[in-house]
Amino acid sequence: MKDEPLVLGIETSCDETGVGIVRGHTLLADAIASSVDEHARFGGVVPEVASRAHLEAMTPTVDRALADAGVTLNDIDAIAVTAGPGLAGALLVGVAAAKAYSLGLGKPLYGVNHLAAHVAVDQLEHGALPKPCVALLVSGGHSSLLLVPDVASDVRPLGATVDDAAGEAFDKVARVLDLGFPGGPYIDRAAREGDPGSVFFPRGKYDDGTYDFSFSGLKTAVARWVEARERAGEPVPVADVAAAFQEAVVDVLTKKAIAACNDNGVSHLLIGGGVAANSRLRALAQERCDAAGIQLRVPRPKLCTDNGAMVAALGSELVASGLAPSDLGLPADSSLPITQVLV
């Protein structure tokens, strides 16, 4: 609809500089500049490198998004930006850029929660979110279960990881297996050739009655198993280990997500975050949702990883809800709680 506001979203919480442009629930542009190759040799994201990459990529990425959408800066009605959680220095680049655009254009500024944005982005593909829904957010920095009565104003934590995030465990196991960084896609590809039943790895907090996760013990168990094979001079079956590890992760994630839906009387499950691009997680979640009579919503893989479209999508929802914008004193908050959707 032409009368809906045109919202530009900026995402810089980690190593992707993302700029998205959204009108209502319609995605017009999703431009991304990733610095992942600069971090690969370190086996993880280096905050200072990420911040410098955001500085260099910001203006070209905004320009590319505007060109893709066929609009100009003067057409933009509101600016949304990830204010947290994330890497402090990286967040600051995005927040400072958003303030500059907001001030220069005389447009309202909305500082938004990164995790809530991962929920809101699904609306660009599958339409308005059912109220309520349960969201399983799984990425390199977060593994959370949320009850979402209203993504613009009411997001409630049900559980989270008590140690490593799921994506972090993928990265660390990929390093143990001499695969690439980030580990998720490499593990996913290797696992397709492996047997998930070849090794049984532990499932942390599997039957503890909570919605919390723990992946540190699983990561360590994989490392110890691989070390034992190497000490014995035996080859490490990389594909089998990848498949068995992946199965352990997705088994726990989907079991707890289904339990959260059933216990809260919710019939829709949304999965978001970078790990939501994992093919086995998608397949097992669909299988278990079908068995439980739950509707599953998962955005296409490109919308699961960090991007500006998700920030614009949440900004659009905030504008439509009539919520007051942020002021120019908006801080970047690396530990912003999920209960604070708008800063």
Side-chain angles (χ1 to χ4, degrees):
M1 294 279 298
K2 265 289 188 185
D3 57 348
E4 290 178 304
L6 192 64
V7 179
L8 182 144
I10 296 173
E11 155 63 28
T12 62
S13 68
C14 192
D15 60 342
E16 271 96 19
T17 307
V19 179
I21 298 175
V22 164
R23 190 186 294 281
H25 291 163
T26 302
L27 177 61
L28 302 179
D30 182 21
I32 295 176
S34 177
S35 60
V36 66
D37 291 343
E38 297 176 49
H39 305 285
R41 66 192 177 99
F42 301 106
V45 176
V46 181
E48 293 81 1
V49 173
S51 300
R52 174 59 61 182
H54 288 312
L55 275 171
E56 295 171 353
M58 180 59 63
T59 302
T61 309
V62 170
D63 290 345
R64 184 151 46 93
L66 292 167
D68 290 347
V71 301
T72 69
L73 273 175
N74 288 327
D75 296 322
I76 300 297
D77 296 306
I79 310 287
V81 62
T82 297
L87 301 174
L91 290 168
L92 278 168
V93 177
V95 169
K99 287 179 181 179
Y101 283 117
S102 171
L103 185 62
L105 297 170
K107 304 295 182 179
L109 172 68
Y110 293 83
V112 307
N113 190 296
H114 177 80
L115 300 183
H118 271 302
V119 177
V121 74
D122 186 70
Q123 298 186 128
L124 302 180
E125 188 159 358
H126 299 123
L129 287 174
K131 298 180 180 182
C133 68
V134 165
L136 170 65
L137 298 187
V138 275
S139 67
H142 309 279
S143 295
S144 307
L145 269 169
L146 310 169
L147 178 63
V148 187
D150 185 340
V151 71
S153 60
D154 189 3
V155 180
R156 307 173 191 175
L158 296 174
T161 183
V162 298
D163 40 55
D164 288 356
E168 185 180 0
F170 271 91
D171 290 341
K172 290 176 178 176
V173 168
R175 191 153 66 239
V176 168
L177 296 176
D178 288 327
L179 299 174
F181 174 84
Y186 290 96
I187 294 279
D188 196 350
R189 281 195 293 272
R192 291 172 196 170
E193 309 298 323
D195 175 10
S198 60
V199 187
F200 182 83
F201 289 123
R203 274 87 163 140
K205 302 185 76 63
Y206 194 75
D207 287 311
D208 69 345
T210 75
Y211 303 125
D212 292 332
F213 304 103
S214 173
F215 297 110
S216 181
L218 168 60
K219 167 205 67 183
T220 302
V222 174
R224 296 291 171 267
W225 192 92
V226 169
E227 287 166 5
R229 295 278 295 203
E230 290 173 340
R231 272 198 308 272
E234 299 173 8
V236 175
V238 172
D240 286 346
V241 174
F245 160 75
Q246 177 176 266
E247 194 68 18
V249 173
V250 302
D251 183 14
V252 176
L253 290 173
T254 54
K255 177 182 185 289
K256 295 213 171 199
I258 297 295
C261 289
N262 289 334
D263 295 349
N264 288 278
V266 174
S267 59
H268 287 82
L269 172 65
L270 183 152
I271 305 181
V275 179
N278 179 270
S279 62
R280 180 56 184 154
L281 174 58
R282 286 171 171 256
L284 187 58
Q286 190 66 66
E287 181 184 314
R288 289 183 169 177
C289 280
D290 289 346
I294 294 167
Q295 290 290 115
L296 177 65
R297 294 170 57 129
V298 191
R300 60 184 179 270
K302 193 181 177 196
L303 291 180
C304 291
T305 51
D306 291 348
N307 59 79
M310 70 187 206
V311 179
L314 181 52
S316 180
E317 195 71 17
L318 295 169
V319 173
S321 299
L323 295 171
S326 310
D327 62 42
L328 285 175
L330 169 70
D333 185 347
S334 61
S335 56
L336 186 68
I338 184 54
T339 49
Q340 193 172 356
V341 177
L342 172 63
V343 182

